[in-house]
Amino acid sequence: MGKDFYGDLQLGVLGGGQLGRMLIQEAINYNVNVHILDPDKNAPCRKLCNRFECGDLGDFETVYNFGKDLDLITIEIEKVNVDALEKLEEEGVVVYPQSRIIRLIQDKGLQKQFFKQNNIPTSAFQLISSKEHLNNANLIIPYIQKLRKDGYDGKGVKKIS
């Protein structure tokens, strides 16, 4: 980065909701210039940030173009285009958490496998990839079914009895 942290850092945030708003309120204490990309033109951050851009967080070109002139990019929500973040990292933009970490947390199945491989405590799980696999699985009822991708705040989670 090589820039003076006070007042010269250009921080991009993918997502402009309540968490982004709280981040901006703290960044103001350090004179950090905050740029927000959010799909909602009325996002909570729109009036607090230095620059607000309305756009699709899942679109490669939108995310790439938003971030290419920034020093640092972070996320407020995990559902973002990771390929664009990878390209930005290759070009010297700092992405935190790194794109490889975001890719891991976007897929709860990969996340569970990572936990198991690295001896990180987690609940028992089975990855089911097809109806046939489900029919042959030794599931103990009741169990919790969770979407691998795009679930959040309870969305995509269901108790099966």
Side-chain angles (χ1 to χ4, degrees):
M1 283 189 308
K3 291 189 177 190
D4 175 15
F5 185 75
Y6 293 99
D8 212 7
L9 183 75
Q10 303 299 315
L11 169 65
V13 182
L14 300 180
Q18 293 175 356
L19 294 175
R21 186 177 173 92
M22 288 186 280
L23 188 151
I24 291 170
Q25 289 169 325
E26 286 303 311
I28 288 170
N29 295 328
Y30 299 99
N31 297 322
V32 173
N33 294 307
V34 181
H35 307 262
I36 300 288
L37 175 65
D38 193 271
D40 181 358
K41 66 179 181 175
N42 296 312
C45 291
R46 74 188 183 284
K47 293 183 180 176
L48 287 179
C49 59
N50 294 87
R51 175 176 62 104
F52 178 79
E53 189 174 316
C54 187
D56 182 355
L57 301 175
D59 180 66
F60 180 93
E61 291 299 323
T62 301
V63 172
Y64 175 76
N65 288 325
F66 171 77
K68 66 184 179 183
D69 295 321
L70 300 174
D71 301 310
L72 172 67
I73 295 178
T74 192
I75 61 170
E76 187 223 34
I77 186 168
E78 67 189 47
K79 192 174 177 181
V80 298
N81 190 296
V82 179
D83 294 332
L85 294 177
E86 277 181 342
K87 182 172 173 134
L88 290 165
E89 282 176 313
E90 290 169 9
E91 294 178 1
V93 176
V94 176
V95 176
Y96 194 81
Q98 298 89 351
S99 60
R100 64 184 169 76
I101 302 299
I102 298 169
R103 191 177 301 283
L104 178 70
I105 65 173
Q106 284 181 336
D107 184 326
K108 301 308 177 218
L110 292 177
Q111 189 179 63
K112 286 288 204 178
Q113 290 173 322
F114 176 85
F115 290 164
K116 187 174 181 180
Q117 291 166 355
N118 291 281
N119 298 315
I120 299 170
T122 188
S123 58
F125 67 95
Q126 288 187 46
L127 302 181
I128 307 294
S129 57
S130 68
K131 188 174 183 179
E132 293 76 32
H133 191 192
L134 176 63
N135 290 336
N136 296 324
N138 293 323
L139 299 173
I140 298 170
I141 296 184
Y143 65 90
I144 303 297
Q145 175 184 327
K146 186 172 187 176
L147 289 177
R148 287 182 66 167
K149 294 187 174 189
D150 299 333
Y152 61 91
D153 296 338
K155 177 183 174 271
V157 178
K158 184 175 182 179
K159 182 176 181 180
I160 306 296
S161 299

